[in-house]
Every structure is written in structure tokens, then in C-alpha cells.
Amino acid sequence: MSKRLFRAFRCRALAALVVPLWLAGCGGMTPISPTAPAAGSAPAHIDITLIGFNDLHGNLEPPHMAHRVEGPTGPVLAPAGGMAYFASAMAALKAQSPHHAVVSAGDMVGASPLVSSLFLDEPTIEAVNRMQIDFNAVGNHEFDRGWRELLRLQNGGCEKFTSREPCRISKPFEGAKFGLLAANTLREDGRTLLPATGLKRFTEGGVTVTMGFIGLTLQATPTMVSPSGVAGLRFEDEAATANALIPQLKAQGADVIVVAIHEGGGTTAGVQETSCAGLSGDIVPILERLDPAVDVVVSGHTHQAYVCDYSRVNPAKPFLLTSAGQYGTLLTDIQLRVDTQTRRVVRKTARNVVVQGEAFTGAQGPVPLTTAVPTFPADPGVQKIIDTYRAAAIPLAQRPVGQAQGAMRRQPNAALESVLGNLVADAQLLATRAPEDGGAQLSFMNPGGLRADLVPDEQGLVRYGQLYAVQPFGNQLVIKTFTGAQIRAVLEQQFASGGNTVQRPRVLSVSSGFSYRYDLSQPAGARISHMVLNGAPVSDTQSVRVVMSSFLDSGGDNFTVLTQGQDRRVGELDLDALEAYFRLQSPVAPPATNRITRVAPSAR
């Protein structure tokens, strides 16, 4: 960033924070403070820049996303993201103050694009290492490959815990040079899997202010990842865990308490607004039980961007609540002023900064750079890491796998059935239908396992990197025998199991040849009807061979009935099955979404 651009960026930042006496510095005057100490005396306050982010998901390259911001003549779109630009924006925010800390609220890795995921997210850890952040509170996706692989990301090394080879580029992989925190993630003996808390100290004029961090994983993590990946662990209540740790942090000298939690909500406010308007979500009941000694809550998980002075919602809970959206498109700039006499935060403000780096052309057309927000240059060190891994990934990613007759997207219809989900279910069935491959008759696919839409190029060509983006988790296919009654029970769990509810259902995609109806006006256990397989009704006593991912096989997404079944057989990787489907069926037509029928109120 040029000195002139950085100066403009700093002035805009300070104007947004409404610090009038500092604004004089933007006009060439020496910045002053109303409480500036005499030479040699202790300062009356210490200002700290806290930088927050969340849900990076290994997006090394720009994700081709844009944020709507206010320009001189009205709203405009600002292209955002890309870790080389992200690093530069972070450095600019750090330059605001000699006292700064950086914390992430989870899902830094997992469900990542190919350039990171293909290498077990080692590239993301290496890029973030260069940014010199302090802590990351692990999210549910940090457990995608199991807790042992998570510890390898922290500690380094090349021990193999997955189907993919570690240390393919970096030999050895050094591990994260920042702290992973997981206060409410406990082993069977009661010890935390990773440290619960961290401290960072800031000294000025002989006075030291200490910031304490608590890192929390959302309690529902076991319902969102493969149970085998969290076997032997338990996830405790978030608020109770944080409240119990605050006295310990205070005893260690913490003056400022920051909770980084991989749980969140959403508001109806815009990216550049600092409003609690419409605040809702699972973070709210946690905040209502959180000790008011907490100063800042950096949240995540919902991929929403917000800055909220929670005292507007509940004056007894004066937290500053933030979230920086997703994929490295935003950074939260949090400004804290600590009184050195009372050791309390006397002012706190925040705003989300758009990480604008390069223009792109998306489905809706060109998204050029805008002068409405600063543009950041690419950090050369991070860019070198990205370039190295991209070069290693390109030959595989660009390999053609087949043709498609149209786009296949995750967007559900009224019955919550999607074209892409049906495609993957069909691919799984084809891969395991032969008796020697498992004899599957029916396939289930969970919507959360679909991480990107599948859109062929102008010639209808589909490449391996696109398939990888759709299914990056590397699950194996598992075939088991279930009764018709068990299949009905699985489908009932779409609306009544753990986090699966009538208000927030999780509907599985099913393969061609199977259909059913559901009626949400009926009581639990009576919502599924008209199950038909290959033209014949499915009876409760009928045996059906079902194929699913190893994630669902172990009860993922609250489908506990799928842990049952007989004659279990393990097949190939889900991604390999999808590639084989394109190889055998090209040109692939988008499957119809007519397998699931939702009974409308008027049809009862």
C-alpha cells in the first residue's frame, strides 16, 4: 500500500470511529490526546487494536465475492477476498497502533477450496503464520479430518491421519505458529484437547495492560462432523465454560476479556453498519448467560457480518459483538481504550473493513474495483505461498472429467430437493449398485456435504477441480442393509433429530428410482408417506441396500438411525464415484427434482 493510500485509509478509519482530536492528524497536524501524559509519566490510557476474523475456510485465492458498500453516489459492489490482500489489510490495521492483537473465531480450515484442501490445509496455516496472528478458536470444521489431524496442524509433522498424504510440499510441515484454543473441548480425562485460554500483554510508559482470550467451539460440533473424528471428546456448554474461566484469567492479570467463539447469529444491518438491528441466532442465548465482565465477543459460524453493541439489546450485558462474514472478505477493526488506573475498557468501537484487492467477473458480470473503500496490495510472502501450492494443484484441477448439459446447483426447491444433491446421490448409487460393489438400491446425500455449485464452461466441459470443490471432504462410501421401517425413521429424522427441526429441516437428497412424500403438519413419526422404490411401495419389513458417505454412516447431521444397518461394506471415495459418473454418463443432464414431494396445506 502506498503511503498516500494508507494515510487515506487511516483517516477514513478514524473518522468512522469518531475520535475528533485524532482527526487533526489527517490534516497535517500532530495527533494529540486529551489525556496525554507529561514526559516520563505513566499514560492515562492505552489504546489497543484488536483484529477479528472468522470462517476463512482456506480461501487462499479470491473467492469472487463482493460486498455492497456506500459510494459517493450510492451503493456499489466492492470485490473482496484473497489471502494475499487479506494479509496486507491486516498489516494496515496493525499499523494503526503499536499495541495490537489478532484473533480468529474458527473454521480457519476445513471445507476449503482445492488449493488448500488438497494439501490438508497446510497452505492456509503457512499463510496465516506469515500474518503473525495470536489465536484461533477452533470451529467445527477444524475437526473434519479428526482431532488427531487437528493436533498435527497445531504441532506440525508429517504423521498420516487421513487418506491424503501430508507434507507434499513442505517437508516437514512446521505447524501453526499461533495458538489454537478450545476451552470447552475436553478429553475423557477432563483435560482440554487444546489450551483453553491465552494472554497477550501491552506495555507503554512502564504500564502493562493484559488481554485475556477464551476460545470456544460450538457445543453442537459432534452433530456436524463425523463422530469418529471427535470420538473420545465431549463439548461442554459455551457460556458456562467461559464464565468459569474468567476468574482464572483475572488472577493471571487479565484486564481485558475477549471471547472468541465459533457460534453466531445474524442481523438485518449492512456490512458497513454498526447496528444490532434484527439480531438473532444461537449466539443470543449464550450472550444472555455470559458474564458481563467480558468486553468483546468475536463470533463466527453463520458466515454473517455484523458489529453490535449488545448493551443496546441488554444493558446488563455490555459486550461488543462482532463477526467478519466469511472467506477472508472482511476484517473486523476493533478499537479498545483501557484506563490504566481502573484497568477497565472505557471505550470500544468496531467496524468491518472490506478486503478489496482485485476485480473479477462473476455470474452477474464484471465487479470492478471501487474507490468507495481502500484497495490493498498483495502481500508478496503470502502470494508466494499461494503460487507455490497453486502450481502444484493446477495440473490435477484442470484435468477434464466429462461434459454436462447444464448447471447443477445446490439451491433447493420448495421440497428442499436440489439438482446437485440428486446428481451426487445418483453417482453414489451407480458406483455401488453392482453386487460385487455392494449391491446398493438407494442412496442418501446430505446437503451440507455439497460445498460448491457445479457449472460447466461454455463448451459444457467439467474439470476435476470443480468436482473437488463440490465434495472436498474425502468421505468413503458405505453400503448397509436397512429395513423399510428404518428408512422411514431416517427420513423422519430430517425434521426431528438434534438440530434438525420442522423450522430448520435438513433434507437428504435421494437417488433416482426412490420417491416419498412428507407432511409437516403431521406429528413426529407420522410425517413420511408413500415411499416408493423402483415403482413398488416400500414395506416396513423389506430389506434395502443403502449407500451413503462415511459421515452419514457414523450418524453425522443427527441421522443416528444410519449408524444401524447390517452387512456393512466400505466402498471408494465419494469424489472418485462422482468422477466415474461423469466419465461413464457424459454428457450428464441435470437430474429432475421430482423425487420428494412436500404436501402443501391445501393438499391435505
Side-chain angles (χ1 to χ4, degrees), residues 249-297:
L249 284 174
K250 292 287 188 181
Q252 296 174 57
D255 305 299
V256 183
I257 303 293
V258 176
V259 169
I261 178 173
H262 192 70
E263 183 59 279
T267 71
T268 57
V271 168
Q272 291 181 307
E273 295 180 49
T274 57
S275 165
C276 301
L279 177 66
S280 62
D282 291 337
I283 192 68
V284 175
I286 296 173
L287 295 176
E288 285 297 309
R289 294 187 295 114
L290 200 59
D291 190 320
V294 173
D295 295 292
V296 181
V297 178

Side-chain angles (χ1 to χ4, degrees), residues 79-100:
M83 284 182 66
Y85 307 114
F86 187 80
S88 183
M90 186 182 295
L93 293 178
K94 287 181 179 181
Q96 293 180 129
S97 168
H99 309 306
H100 48 72

